[in-house]
Amino acid sequence: RHLKKSVLELGGSNPFIVLADADVEAAAAEAAHSRFRDAGQSCNAAKRMIVVPQVADAFIEAFLQHVAALVPGHPADAATTLAPLTRADLREALHAQVIDATHNGARLLAGGVMPHGVGFYYPATVLDEVSPACRVYHEEVFGPVASILRARDEADAIRLANDTPFGLGATIFSADTERAWRLGRDIEAGAVFINRYTSSDLRLPFGGVKASGYGRELSEFGLYEFVNVKTYWQK
């Protein structure tokens, strides 16, 4: 009677893959919204921007323009587009990840400076050329910090997407949606979004694989996770 079914949703480090034929401007806008909404405190946000050489510089330039347009401020202020973090210790842990990245070869393109004053604010931060030597490559980054990983080619982009303990969601931006669907089958994640940032929807099952947990919430599949299906057979 007391053996309970369970679902574990344990966070993520979602890859956001931008392929050579992608709409770079649209990809940059979606990536910035996904990464910095809720001050980056979202398990299902895009966290690792994986770009191929053909579009890397153009994507980064457009992405940084969206980052520069963010307005830090009080969450109750309608003009605010970048809210503070929830606790001081979380901000300190986030900053430690950024410092570690810069000490291990990542280039700081924006932010990365601990602000002074009241509130747990942290600037929108972008780290380029993130490598496996950096903690942010392996760990979940729960705040307004974006990591840019430069892939050698399309196959390497998929490798980088899967080279993480997490597997919650993933995004692929490409003009060739059929190819994007094929590549999506190779990504180890509970959901793959094509030409859109990852999000949850009441109509769709939500959950991950690997260290992102097991089971599914939402939709018909989510209902089955919390009930015991009873079988009847009559001859």
Side-chain angles (χ1 to χ4, degrees):
R1 179 175 296 275
H2 298 292
L3 293 176
K4 306 296 185 182
K5 300 183 72 174
S6 64
V7 170
L8 293 182
E9 197 275 279
L10 301 174
S13 188
N14 291 6
F16 190 103
I17 300 172
V18 185
L19 298 180
D21 61 351
D23 182 333
V24 172
E25 293 296 331
E30 294 272 306
H33 173 72
S34 181
R35 174 64 290 207
F36 297 108
R37 63 189 173 99
D38 304 320
Q41 300 169 115
S42 170
C43 58
N44 202 29
K47 293 172 182 171
R48 298 176 297 132
M49 315 308 162
I50 301 174
V51 292
V52 295
Q54 297 91 326
V55 295
D57 292 340
F59 172 83
I60 291 170
E61 180 181 358
F63 186 66
L64 289 174
Q65 289 176 359
H66 288 283
V67 170
L70 292 169
V71 180
H74 195 286
D77 187 340
T80 296
T81 54
L82 183 64
L85 300 179
T86 56
R87 299 200 314 262
D89 61 318
L90 299 179
R91 183 175 68 161
E92 292 168 2
L94 179 71
H95 189 58
Q97 289 176 309
V98 172
I99 295 301
D100 170 83
T102 59
H103 286 172
N104 285 284
R107 290 197 305 128
L108 190 63
L109 301 184
V113 178
M114 180 74 84
H116 300 288
V118 178
F120 310 134
Y121 293 94
Y122 198 80
T125 298
V126 180
L127 295 165
D128 189 13
E129 299 180 8
V130 170
S131 74
C134 307
R135 285 175 51 197
V136 295
Y137 184 96
H138 305 283
E139 299 175 359
E140 181 175 26
V141 181
F142 212 68
V145 176
S147 297
I148 296 176
L149 283 65
R150 294 175 179 257
R152 294 188 299 271
D153 51 31
E154 185 178 285
D156 192 46
I158 301 302
R159 181 192 67 81
L160 289 169
N162 290 333
D163 192 21
T164 174
F166 300 98
L168 188 55
T171 290
I172 302 175
F173 254 81
S174 171
D176 187 342
T177 54
E178 290 187 7
R179 184 180 62 180
W181 275 88
R182 290 196 302 271
L183 293 173
R185 297 188 184 101
D186 295 328
I187 293 180
E188 299 164 355
V192 177
F193 283 62
I194 309 299
N195 295 332
R196 188 187 187 279
Y197 64 89
T198 48
S199 64
S200 60
D201 187 299
L202 293 174
R203 299 165 295 180
L204 301 175
F206 175 69
V209 297
K210 302 197 291 189
S212 289
Y214 59 78
R216 294 294 179 267
E217 304 171 70
L218 310 181
S219 82
E220 177 185 356
F221 296 95
L223 292 176
Y224 288 141
E225 293 284 3
F226 294 99
V227 300
N228 289 314
V229 178
K230 189 172 184 178
T231 300
Y232 293 85
W233 182 331
Q234 176 179 325
K235 183 177 181 180

